């Protein structure tokens, strides 16, 4: 229950003071004088006096969904959809899993040379390149790094773990095997790393090391004697990466492009029954300029096309009961009513670096009409395809995912029926025990309204906030169906141009009077509607602003027999 800023008045019993002028000292003492009940006595009792805005007609929980920008109020909602996981993305390019995609390998060049290569005094080099034809081989061929994507080679990689492993044998006494990895970048900014062999094995930790293949990362291996002079000695037996190597960033080079890269978008149901707790089932709603958008992100260095049409797993639809309304999109919020600019095909631009995914914003067409039909769900699904051309390079991170933020902004520039709101206030009139008989009672009400809403007002009297209801009053001036709250005057656009004033006198029966005077709590219930043109079949939108307010003044005029000596 929300308590608004309408204040009830506490009323203490009136004390009638009668001054008696005594001409003699004879007669009763003052405390012996009995004041008889006063008949046909009229008294006014204030009930409500205060102002409220539209936000006072919403609960605290409902106000959490309201954003206020200057004088404009809007209902705002957002949901994040996960369109594709990292696993989905790597599989879209033909990989079997993220483990295989972010782990690279190359054929051991020593195997191709009989399993053993003598180490000359000038040493042996091994170069890595995205295209083996880009470098000049020496004893060992140039190496292309690959993962399990058949149509691509690695043009860049940054390792999270793993080692470069080189095996050797047949060194002489006091000779040292030297291993250098150069033309790389370490996590500390160095361009080379060195290691020496132990027991036929030399290793370099690759954690944080970046290979940019255009720089031709190079492995140099040689043998030195005890004085540090290079000598011809020993043999290379293997060159490889450890099996636990894993990258967090990879660029793939597609020399011949790639066909059929893509994935199916899983079905996501977005709850759009946003306003049902304010406007119950059966209430009519119309909207002026609502904005519904999808903000798609793309972490990959290539464009992706989302086909959200019915042909792709049903596409994107708004669900109203058993009906489905196809949803289309446009690039500009200003074009949502222009059918020719709307499409269910969305082209999402590529990211430009590893750090920041690209964002592509699209707006739902005909959002106002769709929302007025009160869809409970927007179902999102479709298919994503990547166009990979000859020579394309695409970067991936092992935490990549494709998401879309579904946002709805509904300015409170709307027409509606059926809005119900109940507030409440403590009440302590403290007068009931002094009334012996009630002749007439009238509830006098005046509303000066600057908000473009009409409505009814009903009181329910209770013993306490959560206590039993004792009676109720519909404030209608005694005319069934009459509204206490009259809309502020609006122009043809539903914008307020003047305040309204309504005055009603509602007759009360004795039960209502006694319930009101005896109440400890007063429920105040509004039934509201907003309509710029009551002559149309559906309510026309009105602009409700943060600064608009209505003032309500209310009091009871009571005539009856008052007993000031009553102890009841």
């Amino acid at each position: 229950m929300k308590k608004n800023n309408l204040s009830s008045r506490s009323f203490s019993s009136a004390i009638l003071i009668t001054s008696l002028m005594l001409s003699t000292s004879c007669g009763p003492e003052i405390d012996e004088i009995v004041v008889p009940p006063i008949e046909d006595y009229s008294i006014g009792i204030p009930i409500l006096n205060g102002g409220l805005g539209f936000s006072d007609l919403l609960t605290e929980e409902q106000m959490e969904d309201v954003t206020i920008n200057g004088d404009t109020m809007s209902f705002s909602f957002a949901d994040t959809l996960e369109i594709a996981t990292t696993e989905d993305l790597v599989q879209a390019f033909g990989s079997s899993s993220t483990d295989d995609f972010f782990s690279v390998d190359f054929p051991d060049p020593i195997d191709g040379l009989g399993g053993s290569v003598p180490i000359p005094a000038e040493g042996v080099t091994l170069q890595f390149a995205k295209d083996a034809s880009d470098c000049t081989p020496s004893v060992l061929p140039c190496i292309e790094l690959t993962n399990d994507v058949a149509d691509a080679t690695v043009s860049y990689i940054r390792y999270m773990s793993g080692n470069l492993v080189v095996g050797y044998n047949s060194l002489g006494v006091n000779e040292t095997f030297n291993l250098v990895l150069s033309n790389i970048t370490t996590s500390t900014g160095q361009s080379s790393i060195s290691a020496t062999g132990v027991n036929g094995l030399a290793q370099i930790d690759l954690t944080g090391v970046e290979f940019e293949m255009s720089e031709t990362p190079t492995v140099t291996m040689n043998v030195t004697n005890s004085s540090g002079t290079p000598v011809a000695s020993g043999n290379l037996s293997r060159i490889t990466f450890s099996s636990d190597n894993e990258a967090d960033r990879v660029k793939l080079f597609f020399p011949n492009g790639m066909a059929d890269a893509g994935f199916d978008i899983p079905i996501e149901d977005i709850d759009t029954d946003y306003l049902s707790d304010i406007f119950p089932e059966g209430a009519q709603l119309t909207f002026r300029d609502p904005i519904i958008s999808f903000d798609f992100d793309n972490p990959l260095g290539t464009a992706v096309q989302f086909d959200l049409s019915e042909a792709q797993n049903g596409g994107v639809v708004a669900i109203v009961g058993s009906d489905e309304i196809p949803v289309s999109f446009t690039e500009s919020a200003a074009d949502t009513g222009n059918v020719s600019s709307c499409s269910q095909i969305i082209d999402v631009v590529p990211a430009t670096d590893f750090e920041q995914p690209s964002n592509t914003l699209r707006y739902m067409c005909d959002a106002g009409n769709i929302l007025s039909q009160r869809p409970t769900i927007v179902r999102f699904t479709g298919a994503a395809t990547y166009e990979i051309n000859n020579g394309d390079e695409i970067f991936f991170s092992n935490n990549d995912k494709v998401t879309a933020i579904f946002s709805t902004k509904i300015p409170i520039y709307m027409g509606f029926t059926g809005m119900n709101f109940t507030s409440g206030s403590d009440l302590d009139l403290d007068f009931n025990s002094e009334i012996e008989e009630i002749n007439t009672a009238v509830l006098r009400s005046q509303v000066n309204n600057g908000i473009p809403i009409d409505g009814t007002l009903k009181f329910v009297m209770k013993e306490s906030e959560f206590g039993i209801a004792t009676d109720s009053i519909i404030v209608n001036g005694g005319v069934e169906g009459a509204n206490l709250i009259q809309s502020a005057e609006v122009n043809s656009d539903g914008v307020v141009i003047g305040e309204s004033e309504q005055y009603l006198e509602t007759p009360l029966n004795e039960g209502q009077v006694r319930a009101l005077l005896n109440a400890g709590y007063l429920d105040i219930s509004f039934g509201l509607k907003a309509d710029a043109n009551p002559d149309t079949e559906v309510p026309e939108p009105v602009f409700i602003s943060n600064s608009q307010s209505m003032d309500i003044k209310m009091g009871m005029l009571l005539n009856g027999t008052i007993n000031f000596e009553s102890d009841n």
Side-chain angles (χ1 to χ4, degrees):
M1 181 72 66
K2 181 177 179 181
K3 295 186 179 183
N4 63 24
N5 57 352
L6 293 175
S7 60
S8 60
R9 297 295 185 88
S10 178
F11 185 89
S12 298
S13 300
I15 299 176
L16 178 64
I17 299 178
T18 304
S19 296
L20 299 177
M21 302 299 296
L22 302 179
S23 59
T24 69
S25 60
C26 299
E29 299 292 332
I30 189 70
D31 60 358
E32 296 175 355
I33 296 174
V34 176
V35 180
I38 302 175
E39 298 179 354
D40 196 24
Y41 186 87
S42 295
I43 187 167
I45 304 173
I47 305 297
L48 293 178
N49 184 17
L52 52 82
F54 187 79
S55 61
D56 294 308
L57 300 171
L58 302 174
T59 66
E60 291 181 5
E61 184 177 1
Q62 291 162 354
M63 279 299 296
E64 292 176 359
D65 297 322
V66 174
T67 57
I68 299 175
N69 183 12
D71 210 24
T72 300
M73 297 189 295
S74 303
F75 294 109
S76 299
F77 309 91
D79 290 277
T80 299
L81 313 180
E82 186 170 81
I83 295 175
T85 64
T86 309
E87 195 82 9
D88 296 326
L89 292 175
V90 300
Q91 290 178 358
F93 287 83
S95 178
S96 60
S97 69
T98 53
D99 288 343
D100 292 328
F101 188 90
F102 290 100
S103 178
V104 301
D105 202 357
F106 60 92
D108 185 349
I110 306 301
D111 287 344
L113 297 173
S116 181
V117 172
I119 303 173
E122 65 272 20
V124 177
T125 59
L126 174 70
Q127 295 181 320
F128 295 100
K130 71 177 182 182
D131 185 337
S133 63
D134 290 342
C135 66
T136 301
S138 55
V139 174
L140 301 178
C142 291
I143 297 296
E144 296 174 354
L145 296 180
T146 60
N147 59 9
D148 68 336
V149 176
D151 299 321
T153 62
V154 174
S155 61
Y156 167 88
I157 186 169
R158 186 176 74 179
Y159 289 92
M160 288 197 304
S161 63
N163 294 281
L164 171 67
V165 180
V166 176
Y168 61 92
N169 54 45
S170 304
L171 264 62
V173 176
N174 295 325
E175 292 179 338
T176 301
F177 181 84
N178 303 292
L179 175 64
V180 178
L181 176 61
S182 59
N183 300 335
I184 49 87
T185 303
T186 71
S187 59
T188 58
Q190 296 174 301
S191 60
S192 64
I193 309 173
S194 301
T196 55
V198 177
N199 298 325
L201 196 67
Q203 298 188 77
I204 289 178
D205 183 1
L206 295 176
T207 302
V209 174
E210 298 176 64
F211 283 29
E212 179 61 71
M213 299 308 174
S214 62
E215 300 295 328
T216 316
T218 300
V219 180
T220 301
M221 298 152 284
N222 72 355
V223 177
T224 55
N225 59 22
S226 58
S227 62
T229 302
V231 295
S233 179
N235 301 289
L236 295 172
S237 59
R238 65 176 173 130
I239 305 174
T240 187
F241 290 142
S242 61
S243 60
D244 65 346
N245 84 84
E246 183 180 6
D248 63 346
R249 292 179 175 181
V250 170
K251 277 186 186 178
L252 293 185
F253 171 61
F254 294 85
N256 301 309
M258 185 179 188
D260 301 324
F263 59 88
D264 288 335
I265 300 172
I267 294 175
E268 288 274 3
D269 283 349
I270 307 165
D271 181 9
T272 54
D273 195 18
Y274 301 124
L275 303 178
S276 60
D277 58 336
I278 303 174
F279 305 101
E281 185 178 355
Q284 292 180 300
L285 296 175
T286 57
F287 302 91
R288 175 75 66 89
D289 300 330
I291 297 175
I292 300 179
S293 63
F294 277 96
D295 189 356
F296 299 92
D297 68 14
N298 179 17
L300 304 188
T302 184
V304 58
Q305 184 178 87
F306 293 133
D307 184 348
L308 308 178
S309 65
E310 184 178 0
Q312 301 296 336
N313 306 314
V316 179
V317 293
I319 298 177
V320 181
S322 59
D323 296 328
E324 296 183 353
I325 305 171
V327 172
S328 57
F329 302 89
T330 186
E331 294 184 13
S332 170
D335 291 334
T336 56
N338 181 5
V339 176
S340 63
S341 70
C342 298
S343 174
Q344 292 181 303
I345 306 298
I346 297 177
D347 293 312
V348 180
V349 298
T352 57
D353 59 52
F354 286 106
E355 300 289 344
Q356 184 65 42
S358 70
N359 292 94
T360 300
L361 187 62
R362 293 293 182 267
Y363 299 91
M364 182 188 291
C365 294
D366 203 21
N369 180 52
I370 291 174
L371 280 178
S372 68
Q373 298 180 61
R374 306 197 68 173
T376 54
I377 289 172
V378 168
R379 179 160 293 158
F380 184 93
T381 187
T385 56
Y386 296 93
E387 183 179 351
I388 314 301
N389 299 311
N390 294 352
D392 280 354
E393 280 186 292
I394 302 173
F395 52 77
F396 303 80
S397 297
N398 68 357
N399 58 354
D400 282 343
K401 59 182 178 181
V402 178
T403 61
I405 299 175
F406 178 81
S407 301
T408 301
K409 184 177 182 180
I410 305 173
I412 305 182
Y413 198 157
M414 52 193 296
F416 57 80
T417 63
M419 177 180 176
N420 298 305
F421 176 76
T422 298
S423 181
S425 177
D426 294 319
L427 193 66
D428 181 15
L429 298 180
D430 190 23
F431 198 79
N432 190 51
S433 63
E434 300 167 355
I435 302 172
E436 284 194 353
E437 184 178 345
I438 297 172
N439 297 328
T440 60
V442 175
L443 187 65
R444 292 181 170 181
S445 309
Q446 179 172 316
V447 177
N448 293 83
N449 187 13
I451 309 174
I453 55 176
D454 295 278
T456 59
L457 183 62
K458 178 182 178 180
F459 293 141
V460 176
M461 289 74 81
K462 295 180 176 181
E463 296 174 350
S464 61
E465 181 175 359
F466 302 105
I468 298 172
T470 54
D471 211 329
S472 62
I473 301 170
I474 297 175
V475 186
N476 59 9
V479 179
E480 186 175 350
N483 288 344
L484 172 65
I485 301 170
Q486 297 287 342
S487 171
E489 184 182 358
V490 298
N491 61 19
S492 58
D493 290 325
V495 177
V496 171
I497 56 175
E499 183 182 88
S500 71
E501 181 179 307
Q502 173 77 316
Y503 175 81
L504 292 178
E505 292 190 355
T506 303
L508 305 178
N509 61 41
E510 182 170 348
Q512 291 173 318
V513 173
R514 294 194 182 279
L516 184 59
L517 296 177
N518 237 358
Y521 194 85
L522 191 65
D523 269 347
I524 308 169
S525 297
F526 296 87
L528 302 169
K529 64 179 181 179
D531 190 353
N533 186 356
D535 295 330
T536 57
E537 291 186 7
V538 296
E540 294 293 328
V542 298
F543 177 67
I544 299 174
S545 73
N546 186 43
S547 62
Q548 295 166 350
S549 65
M550 70 170 75
D551 292 317
I552 301 177
K553 295 178 180 179
M554 195 171 295
M556 180 169 60
L557 180 61
L558 174 67
N559 179 275
T561 301
I562 310 299
N563 185 352
F564 289 98
E565 297 293 326
S566 174
D567 294 328
N568 295 331

